[in-house]
Amino acid sequence: MHWLGAAGFGAMVSKNALAGSDEAAARINEITGGAEGDDALIILDLPEIAENGNAVKVAFDIDSPMTEENYVKAVHILADGNPEPEVATFNFSPAMGACYATTRMRLSKTQKVYVVAAFSDGSYGSASATVKVTIGGCGG
Amino acid sequence: MAKVKPRVKVPKTADAGEIIEIKTLISHPMHSGRAVDGDGNLVPRQIIHSFRASFNGKLVMSVDLKPSVSANPFFTFPFKATASGTFDFIWIEDGGKEYTKSKKISIG
């Protein structure tokens, strides 16, 4: 597997990250119940350019004490240009001691990727970034 | 279908309170249900749709996977080691087939 721009970049959370497009936006709205995103600290690490859309590394790191009183309950990864915007949902527990994870996803074309975090106090946070895809990853 | 094989990397030992990193990988094609084979036939959906990691019987984290997760699903995530014990990892495929792997860790 090859990819350009492997250096990636960190995207700080922004409130308008929740203002996504179409289906992804609808799904994000379902998750958050339309709540405004918090200014929580989410670092999203994605390549700027993915040569191969079949395996695009996605990593996120969320600043949370991960205690019983205050932890990240779930993190949703969504890609607004895929046939189905939902990529994966991570369900977390305080036993982790920190809040980060890495996985690899398929991206069918150049699109925006969103990470939406649900905190134990009922608030939400999000971050997003655009990944340029050279060869799409939804066919054979 | 190629053999489905789960693999996990967990440190054998850790200090009490240390945050360790767990790496998991399962070799699996993750057929999205959208790709066609060499004869132009649609390959039916067959994915790992669920992953769970537990420690000493208690759920640590889980993942719901959609067809957009790449083939050979790979995860890394942290865990705060406080006691010796056993991790149990389980991957569930469409149709309900389960793949499992266990790893031990000792503290001190």
Side-chain angles (χ1 to χ4, degrees), chain A residues 54-56 82-84 86-93 95-106 138-140, chain B residues 19 21 25 29-30 32 34-35 59-72 74-80:
Chain A
N54 276 311
V56 181
N82 273 2
E84 197 182 333
E86 280 173 272
V87 175
T89 300
F90 290 77
N91 304 293
F92 290 153
S93 76
M96 294 168 69
C99 185
Y100 73 85
T102 309
T103 189
R104 287 189 289 246
M105 64 185 168
R106 293 169 168 149
C138 275
Chain B
I19 292 176
E21 181 166 275
L25 175 80
M30 294 288 283
S32 67
R34 294 180 185 274
L59 188 67
V60 172
M61 65 89 84
S62 67
V63 187
D64 308 320
L65 298 79
K66 302 291 179 188
S68 289
V69 174
S70 299
N72 308 324
F74 158 84
F75 299 117
T76 64
F77 55 93
F79 177 75
K80 191 172 181 177

Side-chain angles (χ1 to χ4, degrees), chain A residues 12-76:
Chain A
M12 299 294 282
V13 68
S14 67
K15 278 185 177 164
N16 64 10
L18 288 182
S21 63
D22 318 339
E23 222 182 319
R27 184 66 193 106
I28 291 169
N29 208 39
E30 246 176 74
I31 295 165
T32 63
E36 281 284 309
D38 268 20
D39 283 319
L41 198 61
I42 302 175
I43 294 170
L44 174 59
D45 191 3
L46 281 165
E48 262 179 88
I49 300 170
E51 191 180 285
N52 179 358
N54 276 311
V56 181
K57 190 179 170 186
V58 52
F60 57 83
D61 195 335
I62 301 171
D63 188 15
S64 165
M66 294 304 274
T67 59
E68 293 291 341
E69 298 77 37
N70 183 2
Y71 67 100
V72 179
K73 273 166 54 180
V75 176
H76 306 262

Side-chain angles (χ1 to χ4, degrees), chain B residues 4-34:
Chain B
V4 175
K5 191 184 174 203
R7 269 171 279 183
V8 177
K9 221 171 180 178
V10 173
K12 287 192 176 68
T13 59
D15 296 329
E18 185 183 344
I19 292 176
I20 59 162
E21 181 166 275
I22 297 174
K23 292 183 180 178
T24 72
L25 175 80
I26 185 162
S27 51
H28 192 282
M30 294 288 283
H31 290 304
S32 67
R34 294 180 185 274

